[in-house]
Amino acid sequence: MGQDPELLEEICAWVRGATKLPVWAKMTPNITHITDPARASLASGCDGISAINTILSVMGVNLETLRPEPTVEGYSLPGGYSGKAVRPIALRMVMELAGMMHGEQGAFPDRSISAIGGVESGDDAAQFILLGASTVQVCTGVMIHGYGHVKTMCDQLEAFMGKHGFETIEAFRGHALQYFSSHADLVERQRQAREQKKQAREIGKDAQWECDRFVEQSDMLVSNK
Ligand SMILES: Cc1cc2nc3c(=O)[nH]c(=O)nc-3n(C[C@H](O)[C@H](O)[C@H](O)COP(=O)(O)O)c2cc1C
């Protein structure tokens, strides 16, 4: 169902109409463009998006039995991958959702994102918030470390905020999004930076040496920075 935006829009509208409680539609990552089902859910009135669910995977193939793992009575099926291994994929998907919802052309600036996928520390939570999430959820992390770990994560998040002088989540939510760009832009930025460094290295005349920058200028002549 999560891979079919039309169906999702219809079912989310039913849920939305059946309760006054806030509704977050939870997205599957097993789709090329996670923004398509998210857009459909939000169009039907959902208050926000939570993402991601587990990633379909095959854990391995046993080289003795020659069967996929894990097995039940010798047989298997693709299962849900979770925990820190999925965090980079979850971060990317939350970034894409934030762009679609809250970006310059964002279609749903007033709806929120609850990020899930490999959150095991306050620093992990901070990364998702920097990419636009308002809240995070933890599943595998708590299964591994126990409920007591939530307090540790809160302390770690507070320490991160204290270090940067952030008093609220809103003070840094989405801050990192502005640094995503395109391949073409990165290539152009690198070209310009190289050009500037090349020009800085080209000290042809004695008069170009500056007293205050003598060490920096000599360093440029001998290094490949
Ligand atoms: C054992 C297990 C059971 C899960 N059951 C559900 C479920 O019933 N419904 C659901 O939406 N997600 C379920 N999930 C997905 C998690 O809620 C979460 O989206 C996913 O595991 C990624 O987060 P994590 O890395 O913190 O585990 C389950 C995950 C695990 C590991």
Side-chain angles (χ1 to χ4, degrees):
M1 187 179 82
Q3 295 165 329
D4 182 338
E6 226 171 278
L7 188 58
L8 202 55
E9 186 164 353
E10 186 180 346
I11 291 171
C12 285
W14 294 347
V15 177
R16 180 60 290 170
T19 177
K20 289 190 168 59
L21 292 171
V23 177
W24 277 264
K26 183 169 177 179
M27 296 295 115
T28 174
N30 302 311
I31 186 165
T32 306
H33 299 295
I34 197 168
T35 47
D36 292 345
R39 199 179 284 108
S41 306
L42 294 166
S44 75
C46 286
D47 301 83
I49 296 295
S50 62
I52 59 173
N53 211 317
T54 51
I55 298 178
L56 273 181
S57 61
V58 173
M59 290 308 291
V61 179
N62 187 308
L63 296 182
E64 294 302 319
T65 64
L66 312 185
R67 290 172 184 247
E69 289 191 318
T71 65
V72 174
E73 302 299 333
Y75 288 83
S76 188
L77 82 168
Y81 207 30
S82 67
K84 65 175 75 165
V86 309
R87 192 188 313 129
I89 298 165
L91 285 167
R92 189 260 298 175
M93 290 188 153
V94 166
M95 176 274 275
E96 289 175 350
L97 288 167
M100 181 274 286
M101 293 164 64
H102 310 145
E104 269 176 34
Q105 311 287 329
F108 304 95
D110 56 335
R111 318 291 177 87
S112 62
I113 300 171
S114 185
I116 325 169
V119 178
E120 291 191 11
S121 71
D123 286 0
D124 297 338
Q127 291 185 53
F128 280 104
I129 296 165
L130 283 162
L131 292 182
S134 298
T135 56
V136 298
Q137 299 177 38
V138 185
C139 178
T140 305
V142 163
M143 285 176 170
I144 293 171
H145 303 291
Y147 283 112
H149 193 60
V150 173
K151 168 85 174 69
T152 308
M153 288 193 291
C154 289
D155 292 345
Q156 291 165 340
L157 182 58
E158 266 185 32
F160 160 81
M161 291 172 67
K163 183 177 155 195
H164 289 277
F166 297 134
E167 295 201 346
T168 62
I169 295 291
E170 282 306 303
F172 66 104
R173 188 173 63 78
H175 175 83
L177 292 167
Q178 63 190 302
Y179 301 108
F180 284 101
S181 187
S182 63
H183 277 112
D185 179 60
L186 297 187
V187 169
E188 177 56 19
R189 281 174 188 274
Q190 196 172 43
R191 191 195 63 71
Q192 284 179 16
R194 280 192 179 138
E195 186 58 33
Q196 277 174 10
K197 281 174 191 159
K198 192 171 154 233
Q199 281 173 10
R201 273 198 204 102
E202 284 169 359
I203 296 173
K205 299 182 190 142
D206 281 351
Q208 285 178 280
W209 289 98
E210 296 167 36
C211 286
D212 294 347
R213 294 185 58 238
F214 178 80
V215 174
E216 188 192 335
Q217 286 177 314
S218 352
D219 201 30
M220 279 178 182
L221 287 174
V222 294
S223 73
N224 197 24
K225 284 183 198 162

